[in-house]
Amino acid sequence: SKMAGPCGAAGPCPLLPPVLLLPVLLLLLPGLAAAAAGMLQPRDTPSRERRELGGLWSFRADLSPGRDAGFAQRWYRRPLRQTGPVIDMPVPASFNDITQDPSLENYIGWVWYEKEVLLPPRWLQGDPAPRVVLRFGSAHYYSIVWVNGVQVVEHEGGHLPFEADISSVVQGSPGALCRVTVALNNTLTPHTLPPGSIQYMADKSRYPRNYFVQNTRFDFFNYAGIHRPVVLYTTPAAYIDDITVTTTSSDSIAMVQYQVAVAGSTATSLSLSLRDQEGKVVATGEGLVGELKVLNPNLWWPYLMHENPGYLYSLEVKMQAQLGGVLLEDVYTLPVGIRTVHVTSTQFLINGRPFYFHGVNKHEDADIRGKGLDWPLIVKDFNLLRWLGANSFRTSHYPYAEEIMDLCDAYGIAVIDESPGVGIKLPESFGNRSLQHHLAVMEELVRRDKNRPSVVMWSVANEPASELPPAAHYFKTVIAHTKALDPSRPVTFVTDANYALDHGAPYVDVICVNSYFSWYHDPGHLEVIPFQLTAQFENWYKTYQKPIIQSEYGADSVPGLHSDPPVMFSEEYQQAMLREYHAVFDKKRKEYVVGELIWNFADFMTNQGTTRVLGNKKGIFTRQRQPKAAAFVLRDRYWKIANESSCLPPVITSHSLFL
């Protein structure tokens, strides 16, 4: 087809095959659950059970010319193995690097996953029977899910969880069989987050018929698959649907404000108990809305800012409700950290003390598993962060797994929590369709992470074309919406635009700026860094009078490549660049610079291209997590900064923007 498809390209779009373009089939099918108000992380409690569906799933890529055979032949109606050849695919993992099939490495379009499990009989019994919920931690990027051939949920976007109540589907299944089928598509369009476009190659003398490529404007590999755990969990038929917690504190008293939402029935009673790490109850409350008073609280402090960082209380919520003459009880326990975040014109304050971000940018990226969640890798990364003396990171350029965020809460790693708004470069990506999706994504992100003490700021985008006039309305709207969802945290986006041309900067609370002097600009000329970086900071601050974070800077280095005098790509050049930046940071952090985040923590995979040899090499660690010389430069610096600031007395300002 030469007609423009929904991807904005000439030709059929791999995202939506013809069968799904029919409006009637885009309606919710019977059994399709609407998005729930809450998205509490599944936990085992006295009233709830969870079962992970990790391991090997059946997998089949739809290699038909239109990528639509799976829908035309209704692969979800029967076991996937009966539709044609299937292979084993691990979940969670990206599918790209698992096989020896080169067509899968850069595959664009629909792939199909399937897992068959038997549910415990107790999950299907009782009057009323428990709710059975199917939850995906994330899948990239467009997902349609069936259970026993019945569509139960459809979700647009990767990096964030989605779920469906499947009780009515499984309770009538023979033998408690639960066959989960997932159609998953990694196509990016100008209106997805991140955006992209499909380009069809029309020159028939050079390309086969209907040959297309996926174009993106971001510098990391477009890994795809079911990247995070798939979980079945139960709740009572009447249940705790959502909990929202905010905290305020002084030296001797803290207040924990809470709001609880219930579903399935009206609660007849609801009680809350806040316990410290020794299990002692320090405060109790009743009702859906209220506050708990904690005397002499243990505050949540970032790593290296206190001898006991990452202190977490446990908030146990118990609900009782009558349903059909039966008394039901639900219990949920939420980790709670007591801390405040304030922003002034020159400082970022946590618990009233100046906080300086000395941290990293990261990626969910590793050999073989791509962006798939991997516990050994996660624990290794946190050990390296603490070895480095890093107190923070930005979730560049998408929300990270809940399991990673759990450890940030527990270890005291402060997080700038970023949406998948990376590569927003084209004018059409600033239109209403893109804006509405961006607002929905921020709702999902805030809903998931609103209670995390480690999350100290939201970032709505990275390096958009904020110099374009439509960016003013776009970012004013997204930032205002995020603040309305969560008034307790500052909001930013990360810019690489000129300070005089940036239309989004007036609406942020903290200026986050990326620059690569003597790398992408004046390559090889380290001597320009002091002049250009100083001018950058002074221009931004003079214009906006807001604290500034150097949210990216760095240089590629090939491990083992040495040169003296330093030349680009050598380990010595990476070290020299860092030292030039650090000298300017040391002057400006006495004024209004409140953070520095190196690009990047570890080398990571990118699309193939003439400027990348097996990925981006700006890591201070290799992709296998071995240190380069720059890691030791950064480690010496971060520990020095931590030791300098560890004895700062509390500073409270009356000009704080956030409580």
Side-chain angles (χ1 to χ4, degrees):
S1 170
K2 296 294 182 66
M3 298 177 62
C7 293
C13 174
L15 178 64
L16 295 175
V19 67
L20 286 184
L21 294 181
L22 298 174
V24 67
L25 290 179
L26 285 175
L27 299 175
L28 298 185
L29 299 181
L32 177 59
M39 190 63 76
L40 294 174
Q41 191 172 350
R43 301 183 188 279
D44 284 304
T45 77
S47 60
R48 299 177 176 222
E49 291 185 68
R50 66 191 296 273
R51 172 176 292 188
E52 289 200 13
L53 304 187
L56 296 182
W57 288 49
S58 296
F59 176 90
R60 184 179 181 187
D62 188 339
L63 298 173
S64 62
R67 303 288 198 259
D68 59 349
F71 293 94
Q73 299 169 17
R74 301 183 179 183
W75 289 355
Y76 52 86
R77 287 284 186 89
R78 50 186 172 150
L80 194 60
R81 62 185 177 275
Q82 295 179 8
T83 69
V86 298
I87 61 174
D88 288 335
M89 186 62 65
V91 171
S94 302
F95 63 71
N96 307 80
D97 296 342
I98 298 296
T99 75
Q100 301 308 109
D101 183 353
S103 68
L104 271 185
E105 184 177 17
N106 294 293
Y107 178 87
I108 302 294
W110 291 98
V111 299
W112 293 71
Y113 285 80
E114 182 191 81
K115 182 79 167 181
E116 293 182 341
V117 295
L118 290 176
L119 302 182
R122 64 183 176 277
W123 285 19
L124 310 177
Q125 298 170 353
D127 186 15
R131 290 172 69 242
V132 181
V133 183
L134 174 64
R135 177 189 175 103
F136 290 77
S138 77
H140 288 40
Y141 283 92
Y142 197 100
S143 306
I144 305 174
V145 182
W146 296 261
V147 171
N148 296 340
V150 177
Q151 185 176 338
V152 295
V153 71
E154 189 171 344
H155 184 259
E156 180 180 359
H159 314 287
L160 288 166
F162 57 96
E163 63 182 28
D165 182 342
I166 63 170
S167 308
S168 61
V169 178
V170 297
Q171 282 167 2
S173 61
L177 177 67
C178 180
R179 176 167 53 85
V180 180
T181 308
V182 183
L184 183 62
N185 197 300
N186 61 339
T187 307
L188 300 176
T189 79
H191 310 294
T192 57
L193 282 185
S197 60
I198 295 294
Q199 179 181 2
Y200 279 84
M201 303 304 189
D203 187 345
K204 296 181 180 178
S205 68
R206 301 181 62 192
Y207 302 101
R209 186 185 179 195
N210 288 331
Y211 186 84
F212 66 87
V213 293
Q214 170 81 79
N215 292 324
T216 60
R217 302 292 187 94
F218 53 81
D219 189 33
F220 55 92
F221 193 79
N222 184 29
Y223 279 114
I226 301 176
H227 283 158
R228 297 175 189 161
V230 183
V231 177
L232 284 166
Y233 72 93
T234 65
T235 75
Y239 58 98
I240 299 163
D241 185 49
D242 197 20
I243 305 169
T244 303
V245 168
T246 56
T247 63
T248 57
S249 67
S250 64
D251 290 339
S252 58
I253 299 176
M255 304 303 295
V256 178
Q257 294 85 21
Y258 65 85
Q259 184 171 346
V260 181
V262 300
S265 181
T266 302
T268 56
S269 70
L270 191 137
S271 61
L272 303 92
S273 300
L274 188 69
R275 299 177 184 271
D276 63 18
Q277 290 188 347
E278 285 69 48
K280 178 184 176 182
V281 175
V282 297
T284 60
E286 293 185 357
L288 295 174
V289 179
E291 61 182 10
L292 309 175
K293 181 186 292 186
V294 183
L295 300 179
N296 301 314
N298 292 298
L299 300 184
W300 186 95
W301 289 101
Y303 177 53
L304 300 179
M305 205 171 176
H306 190 271
E307 62 183 5
N308 188 13
Y311 192 96
L312 294 175
Y313 291 85
S314 296
L315 180 64
E316 184 183 73
V317 182
K318 287 186 178 181
M319 182 203 77
Q320 288 187 335
Q322 289 279 348
L323 187 62
V326 178
L327 181 65
L328 299 175
E329 182 175 83
D330 191 21
V331 181
Y332 190 86
T333 302
L334 179 75
V336 171
I338 298 174
R339 65 106 184 91
T340 58
V341 176
H342 303 172
V343 173
T344 74
S345 61
T346 59
Q347 291 181 315
F348 196 102
L349 305 172
I350 295 181
N351 298 330
R353 283 177 49 181
F355 178 73
Y356 186 78
F357 293 82
H358 45 91
V360 303
N361 295 277
K362 292 180 90 275
H363 265 299
E364 290 182 313
D365 173 276
D367 291 327
I368 302 175
R369 81 269 302 151
K371 291 191 180 301
L373 183 130
D374 182 80
W375 273 114
L377 182 75
I378 291 171
V379 174
K380 178 66 173 178
D381 281 2
F382 275 95
N383 285 333
L384 289 174
L385 286 170
R386 292 187 292 184
W387 173 87
L388 194 63
N391 64 6
S392 55
F393 65 73
R394 173 169 63 118
T395 68
S396 49
H397 298 297
Y398 39 80
Y400 291 176
E402 290 165 291
E403 291 80 359
I404 293 174
M405 303 299 286
D406 286 344
L407 291 186
C408 291
D409 289 339
Y411 294 163
I413 302 297
V415 176
I416 301 173
D417 205 354
E418 190 161 274
S419 85
V422 57
I424 306 176
K425 301 292 190 182
L426 301 174
E428 55 262 49
S429 295
F430 288 94
N432 283 336
R433 181 176 171 187
S434 297
L435 176 59
Q436 291 304 313
H437 179 54
H438 203 147
L439 297 178
V441 169
M442 293 312 301
E443 289 174 9
E444 291 185 17
L445 176 57
V446 173
R447 180 175 63 179
R448 193 194 75 165
D449 289 345
K450 61 186 175 183
N451 296 321
R452 296 189 176 278
S454 60
V455 175
V456 297
M457 184 158 58
W458 305 110
S459 170
V460 302
N462 176 76
E463 294 187 358
S466 50
E467 71 280 2
L468 296 177
H473 171 72
Y474 189 94
F475 285 108
K476 180 181 181 181
T477 304
V478 173
I479 290 171
H481 186 64
T482 306
K483 286 176 175 290
L485 292 167
D486 175 25
S488 72
R489 291 177 178 87
V491 181
T492 190
F493 74 90
V494 176
T495 183
D496 64 348
N498 183 284
Y499 75 97
L501 302 176
D502 195 309
H503 292 287
Y507 308 108
V508 303
D509 300 307
V510 177
I511 300 291
C512 288
V513 59
N514 296 348
S515 57
Y516 289 89
F517 304 125
S518 87
W519 190 258
Y520 295 123
H521 312 282
D522 302 296
H525 293 280
L526 293 165
E527 65 275 8
V528 306
I529 293 176
F531 178 81
Q532 294 182 355
L533 185 58
T534 299
Q536 168 199 279
F537 286 139
E538 292 178 351
N539 288 330
W540 276 104
Y541 192 75
K542 181 180 179 181
T543 304
Y544 290 104
Q545 301 288 304
K546 297 174 182 179
I548 301 172
I549 295 174
Q550 182 74 39
S551 41
E552 287 184 26
Y553 71 103
D556 286 76
S557 68
V558 177
L561 182 63
H562 297 287
S563 174
D564 187 32
V567 298
M568 293 177 70
F569 292 97
S570 68
E571 293 198 46
E572 286 75 15
Y573 192 90
Q574 188 181 36
Q575 288 179 294
M577 174 183 277
L578 265 57
R579 291 190 173 109
E580 293 289 350
Y581 267 81
H582 295 165
V584 179
F585 294 162
D586 282 339
K587 295 177 182 178
K588 295 303 179 183
R589 67 186 174 98
K590 298 173 183 176
E591 302 175 46
Y592 46 75
V593 171
V594 297
E596 57 190 75
L597 304 176
I598 187 71
W599 189 268
N600 191 282
F601 173 74
D603 294 346
F604 57 91
M605 188 51 63
T606 63
N607 290 334
Q608 297 184 61
T610 54
T611 60
R612 296 283 180 250
V613 181
L614 290 178
N616 188 307
K617 295 292 193 293
K618 291 188 181 67
I620 58 169
F621 298 100
T622 67
R623 201 181 189 208
Q624 293 74 35
R625 276 47 179 185
Q626 296 304 314
K628 303 178 189 177
F632 298 95
V633 171
L634 213 61
R635 182 175 192 257
D636 289 345
R637 174 172 179 77
Y638 284 179
W639 280 99
K640 180 181 178 182
I641 292 173
N643 289 329
E644 288 175 357
S645 62
S646 62
C647 296
L648 283 173
V651 176
I652 302 293
T653 173
S654 60
H655 301 292
S656 301
L657 297 179
F658 297 93
L659 298 177

